[in-house]
Amino acid sequence: MFGVLAPVESLYLHVPFCASKCSYCAFFSHQPEGEIVDRYVSALVKELEMVSGELQLRTVFFGGGTPSILSMHHWEKILVAVGALGVDEVNEWTVECNPATLSKDKAMLLKEGGVTRVSMGVQSMDPDLLVRLGRVHSRDMVYKSYDILRDAGFERVNLDLMFAIPGQSMKVWGDTLGEVIAMKPDHLSCYEVIYEQDTPLYEKMNAGEFDVKEDLACDMFEELVRLAEAEGYHQYEVANFARHYGVETFEIPDEACRHNVNYWCGGDYHGLGPSATGYVSGRRTTNVRNTTAYCDAIESDQRAFDEVEELTGLKRAGEIAAFGLRMNRGWPFERFNQVTGFDLREQWRRVMIDLVDRGLGVMEPGRFRLTPKGLRFADSSGAEFLV
Ligand code: SF4
């Protein structure tokens, strides 16, 4: 099954610039100073040309960093380059944005350039927590930018939130959820705060400036699932909730992020830009985590790989099992077999029985999925499939 050279349908492009660094963030990003932004945009366009022969795109995702921090001039160049790939078949093109870096003109430019979906990082609607997280935007900017997106004609908008933030009470979390849901986004992504090494938040935790409250985090997650479902958002992955406008029964709601569904289902994708990871035909590549080094490599007609890993079929199948089980529908056995060439019931029978015994998994006719408790601990449940 692995090694078959089919066109790559998904493309991730990393924009490594942010106005300032949020206190919890471990993504690769830095301030857009000097000539580096010009160099980066030219290099990204060139890297795109390097892989263009392998692409037949269905989904495109610009993440970061803060893609919306790029100027109109830079976006014009990028939109032309992506458009030149022939994006007629692209049914989802997402750009992440920060509420502080979006203007009416930029939103119109993205829309007219073919972008179909915007994912906006809100994180919280509480002014004190926004400061604590180091966010550069205010709650008013969230409302303003959301209106700009809708006025520009974006029909698919995701809002990102965080919970279990130090100092966040259940009431504050409930208020943020209520306010955001009242805006009627099509999709919600809600992540528990992670304490990543080398971040200011991690240092503060280590210094004992606050306690990590596991029980409160669990209660917040339960409240999220309850409220989102009550308001018509269908949980389709641990942290992701989407509207479904069709009437037919479904496994994945209409407004789900198709690009991410491709990740979770083990699909191939190219990753461009500094620090971006790609996976194509059994080979995982990671670009160098340094924008100058990235530009140097691409300008010298080289790929900017920092790491290349050839995965065995079984190792990749284990990863695909773990990723796919993050989704509420779990893994249908037949589909898993088609994607990986392995049979879940043979290879991971004991693991699945153990998860069922611990109340974390459910064996259904034709599929295995995690229970709500298993989803809450999807990372550790999924880790048992890794080989
Ligand atoms: S805006 Fe996003 S990528 Fe940039 S520092 Fe904050 S969390 Fe990280």
Side-chain angles (χ1 to χ4, degrees):
M1 187 61 58
F2 294 104
V4 177
L5 285 178
V8 178
E9 298 186 346
S10 285
L11 182 65
Y12 172 79
L13 304 100
H14 190 81
V15 180
F17 306 114
C18 288
S20 64
K21 200 74 187 165
C22 300
S23 63
Y24 54 89
C25 180
F27 292 119
F28 175 65
S29 70
H30 53 91
Q31 290 186 324
E33 285 169 345
E35 59 160 17
I36 195 66
V37 188
D38 277 341
R39 282 187 71 195
Y40 158 78
V41 171
S42 297
L44 189 71
V45 169
K46 190 167 173 184
E47 194 184 19
L48 197 51
E49 289 163 3
M50 289 174 176
V51 299
S52 61
E54 299 171 39
L55 302 174
Q56 195 173 316
L57 290 177
R58 305 280 295 170
T59 71
V60 178
F61 196 107
F62 280 81
T66 307
S68 56
I69 205 171
L70 293 174
S71 68
M72 299 274 289
H73 160 69
H74 287 129
W75 267 115
E76 279 163 11
K77 202 168 167 184
I78 291 170
L79 293 169
V80 168
V82 177
L85 295 172
V87 289
D88 295 352
E89 298 296 310
V90 170
N91 60 22
E92 182 182 274
W93 179 350
T94 303
V95 171
E96 287 184 341
C97 84
N98 183 299
T101 56
L102 195 68
S103 66
K104 197 173 165 187
D105 288 347
K106 207 179 281 183
M108 293 293 290
L109 179 73
L110 294 175
K111 183 76 178 69
E112 284 163 12
V115 176
T116 62
R117 184 174 181 272
V118 171
S119 176
M120 186 158 76
V122 173
Q123 314 315 350
S124 178
M125 293 298 276
D126 182 80
D128 292 339
L129 288 185
L130 287 174
V131 171
R132 185 164 309 161
L133 293 172
R135 301 291 296 176
V136 291
H137 65 84
S138 64
R139 50 177 279 124
D140 289 348
M141 287 176 192
V142 172
Y143 282 114
K144 191 172 160 223
S145 292
Y146 186 82
D147 287 345
I148 284 174
L149 291 172
R150 291 304 199 191
D151 290 347
F154 282 104
E155 292 178 354
R156 305 189 66 204
V157 177
N158 168 60
L159 299 179
D160 273 353
L161 296 176
M162 291 179 91
F163 65 93
I165 304 165
Q168 184 184 36
S169 65
M170 181 62 102
K171 174 162 187 336
V172 167
W173 172 229
D175 288 349
T176 283
L177 267 178
E179 276 194 81
V180 164
I181 286 172
M183 293 165 74
K184 301 192 185 306
D186 310 281
H187 190 283
L188 287 170
S189 295
C190 303
Y191 299 99
E192 181 174 347
V193 165
I194 298 176
Y195 298 95
E196 303 265 16
Q197 275 191 1
D198 300 327
T199 61
L201 203 62
Y202 179 84
E203 301 299 334
K204 285 185 180 176
M205 179 185 70
N206 269 355
E209 289 188 28
F210 54 81
D211 294 327
V212 176
K213 297 176 178 165
E214 290 287 346
D215 289 348
L216 182 58
C218 284
D219 290 348
M220 287 180 170
F221 182 70
E222 277 179 20
E223 177 63 3
L224 161 66
V225 174
R226 187 195 68 74
L227 196 61
E229 294 280 348
E231 295 291 338
Y233 293 88
H234 303 277
Q235 185 190 27
Y236 66 100
E237 193 265 354
V238 180
N240 286 282
F241 302 78
R243 293 259 191 216
H244 181 78
Y245 299 118
V247 287
E248 75 277 17
T249 55
F250 61 93
E251 281 191 340
I252 297 176
D254 291 339
E255 292 300 320
C257 176
R258 293 161 206 160
H259 183 84
N260 285 339
V261 168
N262 178 59
Y263 283 145
W264 297 318
C265 293
D268 284 2
Y269 57 96
H270 270 301
L272 310 184
S275 81
T277 294
Y279 176 82
V280 177
S281 300
R283 191 169 81 137
R284 176 179 294 127
T285 57
T286 306
N287 274 353
V288 61
R289 213 177 145 88
N290 177 308
T291 307
T292 303
Y294 166 79
C295 293
D296 288 346
I298 301 289
E299 287 164 6
S300 311
D301 298 321
Q302 308 288 317
R303 296 301 303 272
F305 297 151
D306 187 35
E307 281 178 44
V308 177
E309 188 184 4
E310 301 284 346
L311 299 177
T312 63
L314 185 61
K315 185 169 180 189
R316 178 61 182 161
E319 285 184 1
I320 292 173
F323 280 140
L325 289 174
R326 299 182 62 83
M327 299 184 69
N328 292 54
R329 72 171 186 187
W331 264 118
F333 299 127
E334 283 301 318
R335 199 171 307 155
F336 184 80
N337 195 296
Q338 285 162 11
V339 173
T340 67
F342 289 88
D343 191 329
L344 262 181
R345 290 161 295 189
E346 282 176 17
Q347 210 71 41
W348 287 280
R349 188 166 171 274
R350 282 176 180 279
V351 170
M352 291 191 292
I353 290 171
D354 181 52
L355 287 170
V356 170
D357 288 347
R358 287 154 58 202
L360 301 171
V362 186
M363 192 72 81
E364 292 179 347
R367 84 173 61 215
F368 178 77
R369 65 175 174 82
L370 296 180
T371 61
K373 186 177 167 198
L375 283 172
R376 171 75 184 90
F377 301 104
D379 287 345
S380 55
S381 304
E384 308 208 14
F385 290 80
L386 301 180
V387 294

